[in-house]
Amino acid sequence: MKFLILIFVGVLHLLSLGSGKAIYKNGLCQRTFEDIKEEIASYESVAKAIIDLAVYGKAQNRSYERLALLVDTVGPRLSGSKNLEKAIQIMYQNLQQNGLDNVHLEPVKIPHWERGEESAVMLAPRIHKMAILGLGSSIGTPPEGITAEVLIVTSFDELKRRAPEAKGKIVVYNQPYISYSTTVQYRVRGAVEAAKVGALASLIRSVASFSIYSPHTGFQEYQDGVPKIPTACIAVEDAEMMSRMASRGNRIIIQLKMGAKTYPDTNSFNTVAEITGSKYPEQVVLVSGHLDSWDVGQGAMDDGGGAFISWEALSLIKDLGLRPKRTLRLVLWTAEEQGGIGASQYYQLHKANISNYSLVMESDSGTFLPTGLQFTGSDKARAIMQEVMSLLQPLNITRLLSDGEGTDISFWIQAGVPGASLLDDVYKYFSFHHSHGDTMTIMEPKQMNVAAAIWAVVSYVIADMEEMLPRS
C-alpha cells in the first residue's frame, strides 16, 4: 500500500510540473531543471549583497588583515610544531569570538619531523655553497655528512639506464618542469628510485614554475624494502648549473649535511565551526583550507589564504543575518602537507553520515584573482553548479571547470560526494609554493576579497537550496 501511495504522489507531482524534462532520483520524480534554475536565479539579490559586502563594503580586506595578524604572530606552522598548535588555539578563540556555532577542536594524531641544521657545499670543480631544503620525512646524514661524487640525470628512465654509475654517488635530478602534478613525482619518489640503484643521497631540482634561487620543499615518501637515504631540494639554478658542468665532463663533488629527525606522532586538532542549518541541520556543506604549512616563509599563501577565505565565507553570511537551510561547516585541517593526515582522520570519524554531505569545498591553490571553480560531480550536479556560478556575473568569474579534487576533500569525492576547489593563477602559486617566498608580501587583499565572495556565494546557495546536489 505504501509503495502504491508513493507512486500516486509521484504521478501527481509529475503532472503538476508542466513542461520540461523531469529529473528522477531514487525512483521518484523531482522538480524539472527549469524549476531548479528559477530557484537559483532567486538568489541573485543575496549573491549581490554578499559580493558588495566582501568586495566593496565594510568587510573588504578583512580576510587579508586577519591572515596577516596570524602569520605575523605565529609564523610557519609545520606538523608537530609548537607554532601549529599555537595557531590552532588562536583560531579556536577567533571563531568563538566571531559568534559562530559549535566551535570545537577534533583531536587527531599527526607526524612530527624537524629538518635541523642542513647544508650542501660543492667542493669540485669549484667551491660553491648551495641553497637546500630537506624534504619532509627525510632521514639525516651522519654528523660528518656525506661527501660524494654527483650523478646528474633528467628523468627516472635516464637513472635506470645509468644505474651502474649511481652506486656510492649523490643522484641529482635536473628534471624539466612540465606541470606540478607531472613533475612532483621526482620530489615524492626521487629518494626511493635513487636508493634502488645504490645512491647515498638524492638532491631534487625544486618543483617550481619560476625561481629566483629559491629551493622548494615538500613531502616525500620512502618505500618498504628500499634503503632510506637523505634527500633535499635544491634551487633550479644549481641543478641547471651542475647539468652544464657535467655535460663538459667536469667531476662534481658535494658535501651534504642534514640534521633531520623524525619523532613519534603527536597530538593535534582539526578546527571546526558552523552556521547551523535552519531546516536540515543534519545536512552539511563543508568549506575548508588547511592551517598547517611547511617550516619556511609564513605559510601565508599555502594555505593561510584558503583557510581564511573559508572563515570569511561564514563571517560574510553571518554578517548579513543569513542562515541557510543546511549547516555550513568550516573545517581548518591539520597536517595536510604530510598527505592529508587530519582530513583522513576526519573522514573516518564522519563518513557514517556521508549521505548528508551535499558539497565539500577546499581552497588550497592560492587566493590570487580566481579564474573559476573546479568541480567534480554528476552531470546533474554540474548543471546546477553552472547555474550557481552565473550568480557571480557581477565579478565576471563564472567558469566551471573539471577536477575539483583536493588533498583534504578527495576522500569524500572518491566516495561520491560532489567536490569543488577554487582555481586561480597556478603559475604564480607554484613560483612561491613551499618556499621562503610564501609570505604576506605576495598576498593581495583585493584578490582575497573576490575569492572570499565566490566562496561565500557558492557555499551559501548550495546550503540553502531546497534539495541537496544530486550524486551519480
Side-chain angles (χ1 to χ4, degrees):
M1 178 63 71
K2 183 178 180 181
F3 180 68
L4 291 174
I5 292 172
L6 287 173
I7 292 177
F8 179 69
V9 171
V11 170
L12 287 177
H13 186 55
L14 178 59
L15 291 173
S16 70
L17 288 174
S19 61
K21 185 178 179 182
I23 296 175
Y24 286 84
K25 182 179 179 184
N26 298 329
L28 297 179
C29 180
Q30 304 296 306
R31 299 176 301 162
T32 66
F33 186 61
E34 289 302 316
D35 293 330
I36 294 173
K37 285 178 66 174
E38 289 181 13
E39 181 187 14
I40 294 170
S42 72
Y43 287 99
E44 182 177 349
S45 60
V46 174
K48 187 176 185 301
I50 292 172
I51 291 168
D52 287 347
L53 178 61
V55 181
Y56 311 109
K58 292 182 179 179
Q60 63 177 309
N61 303 344
R62 180 169 61 187
S63 58
Y64 174 91
E65 295 296 342
R66 284 171 165 177
L67 174 61
L69 178 59
L70 179 83
V71 302
D72 289 345
T73 301
V74 177
R77 305 167 300 282
L78 183 64
S79 173
S81 69
K82 291 182 179 179
N83 279 14
L84 174 58
E85 299 318 306
K86 182 178 180 180
I88 289 171
Q89 293 301 323
I90 290 174
M91 287 307 302
Y92 175 69
Q93 294 170 9
N94 286 342
L95 297 173
Q96 285 184 314
Q97 291 170 2
N98 195 196
L100 296 174
D101 304 330
N102 194 24
V103 177
H104 66 280
L105 301 177
E106 298 189 0
V108 296
K109 284 282 188 181
I110 63 172
H112 181 190
W113 172 87
E114 295 180 6
R115 73 175 58 256
E117 296 294 324
E118 54 189 15
S119 65
V121 180
M122 179 192 294
L123 303 178
R126 66 178 177 87
I127 302 293
H128 169 58
K129 185 175 181 181
M130 302 166 62
I132 70 165
L133 284 175
L135 293 176
S137 80
S138 175
I139 65 168
T141 64
E144 68 276 13
I146 294 173
T147 301
E149 188 175 346
V150 162
L151 173 66
I152 312 284
V153 297
T154 58
S155 67
F156 290 138
D157 288 340
E158 183 182 356
L159 178 62
K160 290 178 181 178
R161 292 196 305 269
R162 301 179 66 184
E165 303 174 55
K167 188 173 183 179
K169 294 182 180 177
I170 297 174
V171 168
V172 173
Y173 293 94
N174 182 35
Q175 77 285 346
Y177 181 83
I178 299 171
S179 67
Y180 183 76
S181 59
T182 298
T183 312
V184 76
Q185 63 178 318
Y186 288 93
R187 190 193 77 202
V188 176
R189 295 171 42 209
V192 166
E193 298 303 321
K196 287 178 181 178
V197 294
L200 300 178
S202 64
L203 297 175
I204 291 89
R205 167 178 165 157
S206 288
V207 183
S209 52
F210 178 76
S211 177
I212 306 180
Y213 201 67
S214 51
H216 296 238
T217 189
F219 190 66
Q220 65 88 34
E221 294 180 328
Y222 288 122
Q223 184 177 311
D224 291 343
V226 178
K228 295 181 180 181
I229 60 174
T231 183
C233 271
I234 59 175
V236 171
E237 293 85 343
D238 279 340
E240 293 186 341
M241 179 183 69
M242 286 190 284
S243 187
R244 293 192 300 272
M245 288 176 169
S247 70
R248 301 184 192 114
N250 294 131
R251 182 170 178 262
I252 304 169
I253 297 175
I254 287 178
Q255 182 185 64
L256 176 67
K257 292 184 178 181
M258 294 175 60
K261 291 183 180 180
T262 297
Y263 298 91
D265 287 357
T266 188
N267 297 318
S268 187
F269 303 93
N270 291 318
T271 309
V272 183
E274 297 177 342
I275 295 177
T276 306
S278 61
K279 187 174 182 180
Y280 310 113
E282 75 284 358
Q283 297 177 7
V284 175
V285 168
L286 185 149
V287 294
S288 68
H290 66 88
L291 199 55
D292 66 295
S293 73
W294 283 102
D295 55 339
V296 291
Q298 290 181 300
M301 178 193 75
D302 183 18
D303 182 35
F308 275 68
I309 68 160
S310 296
W311 174 20
E312 182 67 10
L314 270 67
S315 286
L316 292 166
I317 291 164
K318 184 177 182 299
D319 286 350
L320 290 169
L322 302 171
R323 184 174 290 275
K325 295 181 181 72
R326 277 170 208 86
T327 293
L328 192 55
R329 180 176 297 164
L330 166 69
V331 183
L332 304 179
W333 312 108
T334 192
E336 183 275 344
E337 298 292 4
Q338 284 63 40
I341 303 298
S344 174
Q345 293 179 51
Y346 177 91
Y347 176 73
Q348 293 302 321
L349 183 65
H350 294 276
K351 66 180 180 179
N353 298 317
I354 194 168
S355 62
N356 283 329
Y357 281 72
S358 182
L359 178 67
V360 289
M361 301 168 63
E362 176 181 15
S363 174
D364 190 18
S365 295
T367 49
F368 305 116
L369 187 64
T371 56
L373 203 67
Q374 294 175 279
F375 178 76
T376 297
S378 68
D379 290 343
K380 292 176 181 177
R382 174 171 291 277
I384 292 169
M385 288 293 290
Q386 186 62 72
E387 292 301 315
V388 173
M389 291 300 291
S390 69
L391 297 171
L392 298 169
Q393 186 59 51
L395 295 173
N396 197 30
I397 302 171
T398 60
R399 295 171 67 207
L400 187 70
L401 302 100
S402 58
D403 304 320
E405 289 80 4
T407 298
D408 290 320
I409 59 174
S410 61
F411 309 99
W412 299 91
I413 292 174
Q414 290 166 11
V417 179
S421 296
L422 194 65
L423 179 66
D424 59 20
D425 187 348
V426 292
Y427 182 89
K428 186 174 183 181
Y429 179 77
F430 287 116
S431 298
F432 298 98
H433 178 253
H434 294 182
S435 77
H436 287 288
D438 183 357
T439 68
M440 284 304 298
T441 299
I442 61 172
M443 307 300 286
E444 295 284 347
K446 292 181 179 179
Q447 293 178 359
M448 287 189 71
N449 295 340
V450 173
I454 294 171
W455 222 225
V457 169
V458 172
S459 63
Y460 175 76
V461 173
I462 296 299
D464 196 58
M465 290 179 64
E466 186 59 33
E467 296 172 1
M468 291 175 60
L469 284 176
R471 302 187 188 180
S472 300

